[in-house]
Amino acid sequence: MAVTEEIYWGVDCGSSEIKVVALDGQGNILLKRKQKTLFPLQDHVRLALAGESGDLSPFRNEGSHDIKEGHKIIATGYGRKYIRFAHDALTEIKAHFIGVQKQCDLKDAYSIIDIGGQDSKIIAACNNKVDQFAINRKCAAGTGAYIEELGHRLEVPLKDMTELARGNDKELSLNSFCTVFSGQEVIKTLMNGERIENIIYALYSSVVKRVMEMTAITTDMVVFSGGVLEYHSELVNMFIRKLEENNANMTCILSPNAQYCGAIGAAEYGFKSS
Amino acid sequence: MSNVMKEYFLDLDRAAKDPARKVAWCTSVGPAEILRAMGFEVFFPENHGAMLGATRVCMETIPVANAHGYSPEICSYLTSDIGAYMKGITPLTKAFGIEEIPRPDVLVYNTNQCKDVMHWFEYYASEFNAPIFGIHPPTNLPEIKPEYIDDVARQFEALIHFLEPVIGHPMNKEKLKSTVALSLEATNLWSDVLNMAQAAPSPMTFFDSTVYMGPIVVLRGTEIAVKYYKDLLKDLKEKIQKNHSAIPKENKRIYWDGMPVWGRLRAQSNIFKENKACVVASTYCNSWIFSDFDPENPLPSMAKAYIKIFINRNDQYKEDYIEKMVKDFKIDGVIFMAARTCPNNSNASYNLPRKLKDKGIPTIIIDGDLCDLRCYSDEQSTTLIEAFLETI
Ligand code: SF4
C-alpha cells in the first residue's frame, strides 16, 4: 500500500500579501511562495496554496475535512480567522517566534523585531518560549503601511528607497506620531528644498524610533523578520546602529526567509503538533 | 434580570411624570443612599452611557456631541449621553418603550471617580434648570486618613441640607440607617457573587458580571437589589455544586483591569471562549463593593466607603490590590484595557503592568474604549488577546 505523502502548509495571511510555505514529512522546506492579498480571501488563499500547478484538489472546499489526506494547513496573520478550511490557526506572534526558532539556532534570550504591512512587533523570547511581546499601538507609524503611504506621496518606488536613504548627507528626522502629520511634515520639508535622500532617511529613522519606543529591548541578540525589513536593507542597518548604540554587546541578524518567518512558523507548528 | 432593570426604568419613568415624586440624578459611585433615604427616585447617567455603548447607538450620538464642542478625547459616556440628548433619542425606547430619560429635579455628583461627571452634570443642570450639588473628596489617595472621612461626611451633611427644600421634608435618620443597611447587605451579596468565580472552573465570567452588576449600580439601598443578589448567589452555588463551567474546559484564568468595551462584549467573550480562557475577575465589577458601610454610623461610613474605591487610589494600592486578586482567583494573566476616553479607569499608563510582570504576573495592554469604537480595533485586540493566551 502506498504511504500517504505528508505536507504541512503554513499560510500567513497578511494585509498586503499571502505567504505560503510547505514542509515535507521531515520538516524540510519544500516550497515558499506569495501573492497579493486579494478577495474573496478563501479563493486566493487556495490559489496561493495551489501555486502554478493550479491543482486545487488538495484544498477543495470550506471545511478542513475536505482537505486531501496527508495535507495539514495552519493559518496565521490578520486573515487567519477567515481561512475556514485551515486545520488550526495561531497568531503571528507565535508563528514568527516558531519560524525564527526553527531557522536560527539560538540558545540564549533574544528579541525579534518584525515589521509587517500593518503592524510592527517586538517579541522577547527566552527558554524556548515567548516571554513577552509588544505591538504598535493606535496608528500605522512604524509599519510597512507608513513607508508605503509616504513613498507613494513622494512618488518614490519602494525598491529605490534603500539606495536613496544611503545617499543622505544629514540626519533629518520626522517628529509626528501619525502618518497624516508625517506626510504634511514631509511636504513642508520638500517645499523647503530638502534633498529626497534626506527625506527617505528621515522616514526610515522615524520607523526605527516608533518601533524602539514600543518596549525596551533587554536582550543582547536581535533577529529581524518580516518582508519590510527584507526589502529595506538600509532600514535594517539603521536599526542595527541604534541597537548597538544602546547596547555595546548587541548582535543582530536577519532571519533567513525573513518574509516567510510567519508562514514557516505556522507550517512548523502543524508539523510538530501532528 | 431583565425584569428587575425593566421595572426600575418603568418606575423611574412614572416618577418623572408624577409631580408628587422627585427624581435625582446621581453618579455611579455617588451617595445614592442619601437620595433614596430622602425619597428620591434615582437615575444614573453612566448606566445610560453603558446602554448607549452596549447597543452601539453611541456611534451615532458621540459625533453629535463632538460637533457641539465636546472633544472626542473626553469621557465617551458623557459624549454618548449628551449626544443622545441633543439628538433626542435614548436606548430606553427600544428596550422598554420609554420615550425619554427621566427629567431631573436635582443632580448630585461625586468627583471620587473623575471630574468629567462634574462637566456632564453641569450641562444638564443648565439644560433642565435644576439644582446641582457636587461632592468633592480628596482624590488619588495612598491612604485613607480620618480627616478625609470627616471632610466628606461634612459634605454629605451639607448635601442633606441642600436636598431638604427640594424634597420638601427633613431627612429621617432611621430611614437613612435602614437604607445604608440595605445597601450594605446588597453590596456584601454582590461581593459573594463575584467571589463565586474563585471556584475552578468558574461558573461565571466577567462578561456575565457586566450584566449582573446592573442592580448594584442602580438599585443600591433597596430590597429589590438584596433579593436579586440572594437569588443569583443561590443559582451560582448550585452551578458550582454541579461543577458547571462557564467556559467549557476552562484552562486559563484572566483578570480584566479597566472598563468593558461595551459594544464588543459578545465578540470579546467569544475570543476567550474559543481559547478556553475565563475572565474570572475584574477591577470594574469589584468597584461596587462597599464593605465599610455601617448603618449605625451612616455618613462617616459612607464617606469612607466612597473615597476608598480603587479608582480614587494611588498606584501602589492598585498594584497590591491586583496582586491579591491574582492570588485569590488563581489568575494566570492580567489584561489592561486602556480606554482612550477614560484615563481614570485605565491603569496601564504609569508602568503598573510592567511592575506586575516583574513580580511574575503576565500582563498585556489592549487599546480600546468604553463606548467609542473608533478607538478600538477588533483585529489588533483579537491578536493581542490570543497571543497573550498562547504565551501564558
Ligand atoms: S470614570 Fe471615566 S467613564 Fe466614568 S464618568 Fe468618569 S471619565 Fe467617564
Side-chain angles (χ1 to χ4, degrees):
Chain A
M1 200 174 78
V3 180
T4 316
E5 191 193 7
E6 285 171 25
I7 300 190
Y8 300 95
W9 296 93
V11 183
D12 180 357
C13 201
S15 57
S16 49
E17 281 177 328
I18 300 166
K19 279 88 57 181
V20 166
V21 163
L23 303 183
D24 65 15
Q26 280 71 51
N28 303 310
I29 298 177
L30 276 179
L31 63 85
K32 52 188 205 291
R33 57 176 162 248
K34 61 181 171 106
Q35 69 155 66
K36 220 170 155 0
T37 302
L38 296 169
F39 303 92
L41 192 61
Q42 288 249 112
D43 297 349
H44 286 277
V45 168
R46 216 178 274 131
L47 285 171
L49 283 163
E52 279 162 20
S53 74
D55 178 15
L56 289 172
S57 59
F59 325 108
R60 278 185 303 259
N61 270 320
E62 287 283 297
S64 55
H65 56 273
D66 245 357
I67 304 286
K68 192 173 160 192
E69 201 186 338
H71 288 254
K72 186 164 183 187
I73 302 174
I74 308 293
T76 186
Y78 266 105
R80 66 187 181 280
K81 302 256 170 186
Y82 303 95
I83 308 172
R84 286 188 293 277
F85 57 82
H87 293 90
D88 205 348
L90 65 161
T91 64
E92 43 279 42
I93 312 284
K94 191 164 178 182
H96 272 265
F97 162 71
I98 299 175
V100 166
Q101 192 80 354
K102 177 180 172 70
Q103 299 184 90
C104 312
D105 188 23
L106 301 168
K107 302 275 177 292
D108 298 327
Y110 63 93
S111 303
I112 301 170
I113 295 183
D114 168 73
I115 316 271
Q118 62 182 22
D119 65 14
S120 308
K121 324 172 198 33
I122 297 181
I123 304 167
C126 69
N127 300 327
N128 293 326
K129 63 184 189 53
V130 174
D131 181 42
Q132 54 181 314
F133 60 90
I135 302 188
N136 63 307
R137 297 172 69 181
K138 293 176 184 158
C139 84
T143 70
Y146 175 78
I147 300 177
E148 260 179 50
E149 163 69 21
L150 293 188
H152 181 71
R153 286 238 190 162
L154 293 164
E155 295 186 13
V156 172
L158 293 180
K159 64 176 179 28
D160 298 342
M161 284 188 163
T162 269
E163 270 321 299
L164 284 168
R166 283 193 183 127
N168 77 311
D169 59 12
K170 65 163 105 137
E171 298 199 345
L172 201 70
S173 69
L174 297 173
N175 296 314
S176 312
F177 261 128
C178 95
T179 314
V180 173
F181 282 9
S182 291
Q184 290 167 355
E185 240 185 306
V186 162
I187 305 282
K188 192 174 128 221
T189 321
L190 272 177
M191 284 174 176
N192 281 335
E194 191 52 79
R195 293 174 67 219
I196 189 79
E197 288 85 347
N198 290 337
I199 295 181
I200 303 293
Y201 173 91
L203 200 160
Y204 277 177
S205 154
S206 96
V207 171
V208 173
K209 272 195 270 177
R210 292 293 90 83
V211 172
M212 299 289 286
E213 68 203 11
M214 277 163 33
T215 186
I217 290 177
T218 52
T219 56
D220 291 340
M221 159 72 81
V222 164
V223 183
F224 298 105
S225 77
V228 173
L229 290 173
E230 191 167 339
Y231 283 102
H232 297 265
S233 57
E234 187 54 21
L235 180 56
V236 173
N237 291 336
M238 288 170 72
F239 265 115
I240 295 174
R241 285 202 289 276
K242 186 78 199 159
L243 288 160
E244 287 177 348
E245 190 184 302
N246 293 349
N247 174 357
N249 298 322
M250 181 61 77
T251 309
C252 298
I253 57 169
L254 179 65
S255 166
N257 302 305
Q259 190 176 10
Y260 289 93
C261 277
I264 291 171
E268 177 76 2
Y269 179 81
F271 169 65
K272 283 273 165 68
S273 58
S274 62
Chain B
M1 169 61 166
S2 56
N3 267 350
V4 169
M5 294 304 276
K6 183 176 178 181
E7 268 316 306
Y8 160 72
F9 281 114
L10 289 177
D11 190 51
L12 255 179
D13 189 40
R14 287 192 291 271
K17 290 173 179 149
D18 180 348
R21 294 172 73 188
K22 300 276 186 218
V23 173
W25 286 18
C26 184
T27 46
S28 66
V29 279
E33 293 73 16
I34 292 179
L35 297 164
R36 285 231 152 82
M38 294 188 86
F40 288 99
E41 304 307 327
V42 193
F43 174 69
F44 297 84
E46 286 151 81
N47 173 246
H48 194 240
M51 285 180 83
L52 284 156
T55 53
R56 292 186 285 276
V57 173
C58 62
M59 296 316 293
E60 293 167 42
T61 65
I62 295 172
V64 177
N66 295 159
H68 285 81
Y70 286 90
S71 159
E73 306 288 331
I74 61 163
C75 173
S76 65
Y77 273 170
L78 181 162
T79 48
S80 301
D81 181 64
I82 290 184
Y85 174 77
M86 287 172 169
K87 223 171 145 35
I89 58 172
T90 165
L92 295 176
T93 312
K94 191 160 175 216
F96 311 117
I98 296 169
E99 255 170 57
E100 53 183 17
I101 47 171
R103 227 186 139 78
D105 294 295
V106 66
L107 300 102
V108 177
Y109 64 85
N110 189 343
T111 56
N112 54 352
Q113 56 183 100
C114 67
K115 85 179 192 41
D116 288 59
V117 290
M118 174 182 75
H119 297 290
W120 187 356
F121 278 41
E122 280 174 346
Y123 168 83
Y124 283 112
S126 140
E127 270 306 300
F128 291 111
N129 195 20
I132 180 166
F133 193 98
I135 305 289
H136 295 266
T139 49
N140 311 317
L141 305 173
E143 56 183 314
I144 306 302
K145 295 187 176 163
E147 56 267 36
Y148 302 157
I149 298 174
D150 288 350
D151 169 4
V152 175
R154 270 202 295 275
Q155 294 192 47
F156 284 160
E157 277 166 23
L159 169 67
I160 293 171
H161 293 311
F162 174 84
L163 292 171
E164 282 169 347
V166 180
I167 195 89
H169 58 75
M171 167 70 96
N172 174 334
K173 296 236 166 66
E174 288 311 308
K175 183 77 180 142
L176 180 61
K177 284 184 183 176
S178 62
T179 309
V180 171
L182 282 172
S183 222
L184 175 65
E185 195 178 354
T187 196
N188 284 342
L189 283 161
W190 175 234
S191 168
D192 293 345
V193 162
L194 292 172
N195 286 340
M196 289 294 109
Q198 288 184 4
S202 167
M204 65 202 269
T205 73
F206 161 64
F207 302 98
D208 300 324
S209 304
T210 60
V211 179
Y212 298 155
M213 69 191 285
I216 199 63
V217 178
V218 302
L219 286 160
R220 284 201 300 285
T222 68
E223 300 272 6
I224 305 165
V226 172
K227 175 167 184 331
Y228 174 77
Y229 290 115
K230 273 188 183 156
D231 293 348
L232 180 56
L233 191 59
K234 190 163 158 269
D235 274 7
L236 290 167
K237 282 184 174 161
E238 276 170 22
K239 281 187 176 164
I240 292 176
Q241 251 172 12
K242 291 183 191 141
N243 212 21
H244 171 93
S245 170
I247 300 291
K249 304 205 177 91
E250 171 197 299
N251 67 14
K252 279 181 191 119
R253 297 165 64 84
I254 302 296
Y255 182 87
W256 184 278
D257 180 78
M259 299 187 74
V261 180
W262 287 109
R264 283 291 182 271
L265 287 183
R266 184 183 307 233
Q268 285 184 344
S269 155
N270 286 340
I271 301 174
F272 289 101
K273 196 180 275 172
E274 278 168 20
N275 289 280
K276 302 188 182 61
C278 185
V279 183
V280 289
S282 68
T283 305
Y284 186 66
C285 291
N286 273 54
S287 297
W288 280 268
I289 297 176
F290 308 104
S291 333
D292 286 291
F293 285 159
D294 173 5
E296 289 314 311
N297 209 6
L299 296 186
S301 72
M302 279 175 64
K304 184 172 182 193
Y306 283 127
I307 52 176
K308 208 179 148 185
I309 50 176
F310 183 95
I311 195 172
N312 199 30
R313 307 305 294 275
N314 72 342
D315 263 24
Q316 186 58 56
Y317 175 91
K318 292 178 181 178
E319 187 180 331
D320 296 344
Y321 181 92
I322 296 179
E323 231 188 310
K324 181 170 184 325
M325 292 294 279
V326 165
K327 282 201 190 87
D328 291 351
F329 285 78
K330 299 181 266 324
I331 303 281
D332 297 302
V334 178
I335 294 179
F336 284 86
M337 202 284 277
R340 177 68 172 262
T341 73
C342 178
N344 316 289
N345 269 311
S346 304
N347 298 303
S349 302
Y350 300 92
N351 210 26
L352 185 51
R354 196 172 280 253
K355 284 190 202 153
L356 290 169
K357 170 100 181 63
D358 290 345
K359 291 182 170 171
I361 301 168
T363 59
I364 183 86
I365 306 166
I366 66 168
D367 287 300
D369 194 51
L370 40 145
C371 285
D372 195 342
L373 296 174
R374 299 173 301 186
C375 311
Y376 182 76
S377 155
D378 282 310
E379 281 73 24
Q380 191 170 64
S381 306
T382 307
T383 298
L384 280 169
I385 293 171
E386 288 194 343
F388 184 59
L389 295 174
E390 280 169 354
T391 53
I392 57 178

Short mmCIF file of all heavy atoms in Angstrom, two decimals, chain B residues 293-328:
data_model
loop_
_atom_site.label_atom_id
_atom_site.label_comp_id
_atom_site.label_asym_id
_atom_site.label_seq_id
_atom_site.Cartn_x
_atom_site.Cartn_y
_atom_site.Cartn_z
N PHE B 293 -19.68 50.27 54.69
CA PHE B 293 -20.97 50.85 55.12
C PHE B 293 -21.31 50.37 56.52
O PHE B 293 -21.15 49.18 56.83
CB PHE B 293 -22.10 50.41 54.18
CG PHE B 293 -22.12 51.10 52.84
CD1 PHE B 293 -22.80 50.50 51.77
CD2 PHE B 293 -21.50 52.32 52.64
CE1 PHE B 293 -22.83 51.12 50.52
CE2 PHE B 293 -21.54 52.94 51.40
CZ PHE B 293 -22.20 52.34 50.33
N ASP B 294 -21.78 51.28 57.36
CA ASP B 294 -22.17 50.90 58.72
C ASP B 294 -23.47 51.64 59.05
O ASP B 294 -23.47 52.86 59.23
CB ASP B 294 -21.05 51.31 59.69
CG ASP B 294 -21.45 51.10 61.14
OD1 ASP B 294 -22.55 50.54 61.39
OD2 ASP B 294 -20.65 51.48 62.02
N PRO B 295 -24.59 50.92 59.15
CA PRO B 295 -25.89 51.56 59.37
C PRO B 295 -25.93 52.38 60.64
O PRO B 295 -26.67 53.38 60.72
CB PRO B 295 -26.87 50.38 59.47
CG PRO B 295 -26.16 49.22 58.87
CD PRO B 295 -24.69 49.47 59.00
N GLU B 296 -25.12 52.01 61.63
CA GLU B 296 -25.13 52.77 62.89
C GLU B 296 -24.36 54.08 62.76
O GLU B 296 -24.43 54.94 63.64
CB GLU B 296 -24.54 51.92 64.02
CG GLU B 296 -25.44 50.76 64.44
CD GLU B 296 -26.89 51.21 64.61
OE1 GLU B 296 -27.13 52.23 65.29
OE2 GLU B 296 -27.78 50.56 64.02
N ASN B 297 -23.61 54.19 61.72
CA ASN B 297 -22.73 55.33 61.55
C ASN B 297 -22.76 55.75 60.08
O ASN B 297 -21.74 55.73 59.39
CB ASN B 297 -21.32 54.83 61.93
CG ASN B 297 -20.48 55.94 62.48
OD1 ASN B 297 -20.97 57.05 62.69
ND2 ASN B 297 -19.22 55.64 62.69
N PRO B 298 -23.97 56.10 59.59
CA PRO B 298 -24.15 56.14 58.14
C PRO B 298 -23.21 57.11 57.40
O PRO B 298 -22.53 56.68 56.45
CB PRO B 298 -25.61 56.55 57.95
CG PRO B 298 -26.18 56.80 59.29
CD PRO B 298 -25.19 56.40 60.34
N LEU B 299 -23.16 58.36 57.79
CA LEU B 299 -22.41 59.32 56.96
C LEU B 299 -20.90 59.07 56.95
O LEU B 299 -20.30 58.97 55.88
CB LEU B 299 -22.76 60.76 57.33
CG LEU B 299 -24.23 61.15 57.09
CD1 LEU B 299 -24.44 62.65 57.35
CD2 LEU B 299 -24.70 60.81 55.67
N PRO B 300 -20.27 58.93 58.13
CA PRO B 300 -18.83 58.65 58.07
C PRO B 300 -18.51 57.34 57.35
O PRO B 300 -17.53 57.26 56.61
CB PRO B 300 -18.42 58.57 59.55
CG PRO B 300 -19.47 59.33 60.28
CD PRO B 300 -20.74 59.12 59.50
N SER B 301 -19.35 56.33 57.54
CA SER B 301 -19.03 55.05 56.88
C SER B 301 -19.22 55.17 55.37
O SER B 301 -18.45 54.60 54.58
CB SER B 301 -19.87 53.92 57.46
OG SER B 301 -21.22 54.01 57.06
N MET B 302 -20.23 55.93 54.96
CA MET B 302 -20.39 56.15 53.51
C MET B 302 -19.21 56.95 52.97
O MET B 302 -18.69 56.67 51.88
CB MET B 302 -21.68 56.95 53.23
CG MET B 302 -22.94 56.11 53.23
SD MET B 302 -24.37 57.20 53.04
CE MET B 302 -24.08 57.88 51.42
N ALA B 303 -18.79 57.94 53.75
CA ALA B 303 -17.66 58.77 53.32
C ALA B 303 -16.45 57.87 53.10
O ALA B 303 -15.77 57.95 52.06
CB ALA B 303 -17.36 59.83 54.37
N LYS B 304 -16.21 56.99 54.06
CA LYS B 304 -15.05 56.10 53.95
C LYS B 304 -15.18 55.19 52.73
O LYS B 304 -14.25 55.06 51.92
CB LYS B 304 -14.93 55.28 55.23
CG LYS B 304 -13.69 54.41 55.26
CD LYS B 304 -13.51 53.76 56.61
CE LYS B 304 -12.23 52.94 56.60
NZ LYS B 304 -12.15 52.06 57.75
N ALA B 305 -16.34 54.55 52.62
CA ALA B 305 -16.53 53.59 51.52
C ALA B 305 -16.37 54.26 50.16
O ALA B 305 -15.77 53.69 49.25
CB ALA B 305 -17.91 52.95 51.63
N TYR B 306 -16.88 55.49 50.04
CA TYR B 306 -16.86 56.12 48.72
C TYR B 306 -15.54 56.82 48.37
O TYR B 306 -15.31 57.12 47.20
CB TYR B 306 -18.03 57.10 48.60
CG TYR B 306 -19.36 56.40 48.34
CD1 TYR B 306 -20.48 56.65 49.15
CD2 TYR B 306 -19.51 55.50 47.29
CE1 TYR B 306 -21.69 56.01 48.92
CE2 TYR B 306 -20.71 54.85 47.06
CZ TYR B 306 -21.80 55.12 47.87
OH TYR B 306 -22.98 54.48 47.63
N ILE B 307 -14.69 57.08 49.37
CA ILE B 307 -13.37 57.61 48.97
C ILE B 307 -12.34 56.49 48.84
O ILE B 307 -11.30 56.66 48.24
CB ILE B 307 -12.81 58.73 49.90
CG1 ILE B 307 -12.81 58.31 51.35
CG2 ILE B 307 -13.50 60.04 49.68
CD1 ILE B 307 -12.17 59.36 52.27
N LYS B 308 -12.69 55.34 49.40
CA LYS B 308 -11.73 54.23 49.43
C LYS B 308 -11.66 53.48 48.09
O LYS B 308 -10.77 52.65 47.89
CB LYS B 308 -12.24 53.27 50.51
CG LYS B 308 -11.17 52.46 51.18
CD LYS B 308 -11.81 51.59 52.23
CE LYS B 308 -11.03 50.30 52.35
NZ LYS B 308 -11.68 49.38 53.29
N ILE B 309 -12.57 53.77 47.21
CA ILE B 309 -12.68 52.96 45.99
C ILE B 309 -11.38 52.97 45.16
O ILE B 309 -10.63 53.94 45.18
CB ILE B 309 -13.86 53.43 45.09
CG1 ILE B 309 -13.81 54.93 44.86
CG2 ILE B 309 -15.18 53.00 45.69
CD1 ILE B 309 -14.87 55.44 43.91
N PHE B 310 -11.19 51.88 44.45
CA PHE B 310 -9.98 51.63 43.65
C PHE B 310 -9.61 52.83 42.78
O PHE B 310 -8.46 53.27 42.75
CB PHE B 310 -10.26 50.40 42.78
CG PHE B 310 -9.11 49.94 41.94
CD1 PHE B 310 -8.25 48.95 42.38
CD2 PHE B 310 -8.89 50.48 40.67
CE1 PHE B 310 -7.20 48.50 41.59
CE2 PHE B 310 -7.84 50.06 39.88
CZ PHE B 310 -7.00 49.06 40.33
N ILE B 311 -10.60 53.37 42.07
CA ILE B 311 -10.32 54.44 41.11
C ILE B 311 -9.73 55.68 41.79
O ILE B 311 -9.04 56.48 41.16
CB ILE B 311 -11.61 54.79 40.31
CG1 ILE B 311 -11.29 55.62 39.07
CG2 ILE B 311 -12.64 55.48 41.19
CD1 ILE B 311 -12.49 55.83 38.14
N ASN B 312 -10.00 55.82 43.09
CA ASN B 312 -9.57 57.02 43.81
C ASN B 312 -8.25 56.79 44.56
O ASN B 312 -7.93 57.54 45.48
CB ASN B 312 -10.68 57.42 44.81
CG ASN B 312 -10.55 58.86 45.26
OD1 ASN B 312 -10.05 59.71 44.52
ND2 ASN B 312 -10.96 59.15 46.49
N ARG B 313 -7.49 55.77 44.19
CA ARG B 313 -6.30 55.43 44.96
C ARG B 313 -5.02 55.59 44.14
O ARG B 313 -5.07 55.76 42.91
CB ARG B 313 -6.41 53.97 45.45
CG ARG B 313 -7.69 53.68 46.20
CD ARG B 313 -7.92 54.63 47.37
NE ARG B 313 -6.92 54.45 48.40
CZ ARG B 313 -6.99 53.54 49.37
NH1 ARG B 313 -8.06 52.74 49.44
NH2 ARG B 313 -6.05 53.44 50.26
N ASN B 314 -3.89 55.51 44.81
CA ASN B 314 -2.61 55.64 44.09
C ASN B 314 -2.21 54.28 43.50
O ASN B 314 -2.87 53.25 43.75
CB ASN B 314 -1.53 56.19 45.01
CG ASN B 314 -1.08 55.18 46.05
OD1 ASN B 314 -1.79 54.19 46.31
ND2 ASN B 314 0.06 55.41 46.66
N ASP B 315 -1.13 54.29 42.72
CA ASP B 315 -0.78 53.06 42.00
C ASP B 315 -0.27 51.96 42.93
O ASP B 315 -0.42 50.78 42.60
CB ASP B 315 0.26 53.37 40.91
CG ASP B 315 -0.42 53.55 39.56
OD1 ASP B 315 -1.63 53.88 39.56
OD2 ASP B 315 0.24 53.35 38.52
N GLN B 316 0.33 52.31 44.05
CA GLN B 316 0.80 51.26 44.96
C GLN B 316 -0.39 50.45 45.48
O GLN B 316 -0.35 49.22 45.53
CB GLN B 316 1.58 51.88 46.14
CG GLN B 316 2.23 50.85 47.04
CD GLN B 316 3.20 49.95 46.26
OE1 GLN B 316 4.13 50.44 45.62
NE2 GLN B 316 2.98 48.64 46.28
N TYR B 317 -1.44 51.18 45.84
CA TYR B 317 -2.66 50.49 46.30
C TYR B 317 -3.18 49.57 45.19
O TYR B 317 -3.53 48.41 45.43
CB TYR B 317 -3.74 51.52 46.68
CG TYR B 317 -5.07 50.88 47.04
CD1 TYR B 317 -5.36 50.51 48.36
CD2 TYR B 317 -6.02 50.60 46.05
CE1 TYR B 317 -6.57 49.90 48.67
CE2 TYR B 317 -7.22 49.99 46.36
CZ TYR B 317 -7.49 49.66 47.68
OH TYR B 317 -8.68 49.04 47.98
N LYS B 318 -3.20 50.11 43.98
CA LYS B 318 -3.75 49.34 42.85
C LYS B 318 -2.90 48.08 42.58
O LYS B 318 -3.44 47.01 42.32
CB LYS B 318 -3.83 50.22 41.59
CG LYS B 318 -4.86 51.32 41.74
CD LYS B 318 -4.91 52.24 40.53
CE LYS B 318 -5.96 53.33 40.77
NZ LYS B 318 -6.06 54.29 39.70
N GLU B 319 -1.60 48.26 42.67
CA GLU B 319 -0.70 47.12 42.45
C GLU B 319 -0.97 46.03 43.50
O GLU B 319 -1.13 44.86 43.16
CB GLU B 319 0.74 47.63 42.56
CG GLU B 319 1.77 46.61 42.20
CD GLU B 319 3.19 47.18 42.33
OE1 GLU B 319 3.38 48.41 42.17
OE2 GLU B 319 4.10 46.39 42.62
N ASP B 320 -1.04 46.43 44.76
CA ASP B 320 -1.28 45.46 45.84
C ASP B 320 -2.63 44.79 45.66
O ASP B 320 -2.79 43.59 45.86
CB ASP B 320 -1.25 46.15 47.22
CG ASP B 320 0.13 46.73 47.52
OD1 ASP B 320 1.09 46.34 46.84
OD2 ASP B 320 0.23 47.59 48.43
N TYR B 321 -3.61 45.60 45.26
CA TYR B 321 -4.98 45.09 45.10
C TYR B 321 -5.00 44.00 44.01
O TYR B 321 -5.52 42.90 44.22
CB TYR B 321 -5.90 46.25 44.71
CG TYR B 321 -7.35 45.85 44.52
CD1 TYR B 321 -8.24 45.92 45.60
CD2 TYR B 321 -7.82 45.41 43.30
CE1 TYR B 321 -9.57 45.55 45.43
CE2 TYR B 321 -9.14 45.02 43.12
CZ TYR B 321 -10.02 45.10 44.19
OH TYR B 321 -11.32 44.73 44.02
N ILE B 322 -4.41 44.33 42.86
CA ILE B 322 -4.45 43.36 41.74
C ILE B 322 -3.66 42.11 42.11
O ILE B 322 -4.07 40.98 41.83
CB ILE B 322 -3.94 44.01 40.43
CG1 ILE B 322 -4.89 45.14 40.02
CG2 ILE B 322 -3.84 42.97 39.31
CD1 ILE B 322 -4.50 45.90 38.76
N GLU B 323 -2.54 42.31 42.80
CA GLU B 323 -1.73 41.15 43.22
C GLU B 323 -2.54 40.20 44.10
O GLU B 323 -2.47 38.99 43.96
CB GLU B 323 -0.55 41.68 44.02
CG GLU B 323 0.77 41.14 43.53
CD GLU B 323 1.88 41.54 44.47
OE1 GLU B 323 1.98 42.75 44.82
OE2 GLU B 323 2.64 40.63 44.87
N LYS B 324 -3.32 40.79 44.99
CA LYS B 324 -4.15 39.96 45.88
C LYS B 324 -5.23 39.23 45.08
O LYS B 324 -5.49 38.04 45.29
CB LYS B 324 -4.78 40.84 46.97
CG LYS B 324 -5.64 40.04 47.93
CD LYS B 324 -6.05 40.84 49.13
CE LYS B 324 -6.84 40.06 50.16
NZ LYS B 324 -7.74 39.04 49.69
N MET B 325 -5.84 39.96 44.14
CA MET B 325 -6.87 39.34 43.30
C MET B 325 -6.26 38.17 42.51
O MET B 325 -6.89 37.13 42.33
CB MET B 325 -7.46 40.36 42.32
CG MET B 325 -8.27 41.45 42.98
SD MET B 325 -9.79 40.86 43.76
CE MET B 325 -10.88 40.74 42.36
N VAL B 326 -5.04 38.36 42.02
CA VAL B 326 -4.37 37.31 41.25
C VAL B 326 -4.23 36.04 42.10
O VAL B 326 -4.47 34.93 41.64
CB VAL B 326 -2.99 37.81 40.74
CG1 VAL B 326 -2.11 36.67 40.26
CG2 VAL B 326 -3.19 38.83 39.62
N LYS B 327 -3.90 36.25 43.37
CA LYS B 327 -3.75 35.09 44.27
C LYS B 327 -5.12 34.47 44.56
O LYS B 327 -5.31 33.27 44.43
CB LYS B 327 -3.13 35.54 45.59
CG LYS B 327 -1.65 35.73 45.48
CD LYS B 327 -0.96 35.66 46.86
CE LYS B 327 0.48 36.11 46.69
NZ LYS B 327 0.64 37.58 46.80
N ASP B 328 -6.07 35.32 44.97
CA ASP B 328 -7.37 34.80 45.41
C ASP B 328 -8.12 34.07 44.29
O ASP B 328 -8.85 33.13 44.55
CB ASP B 328 -8.26 35.96 45.91
CG ASP B 328 -7.73 36.55 47.21
OD1 ASP B 328 -6.80 35.95 47.78
OD2 ASP B 328 -8.24 37.60 47.63
#
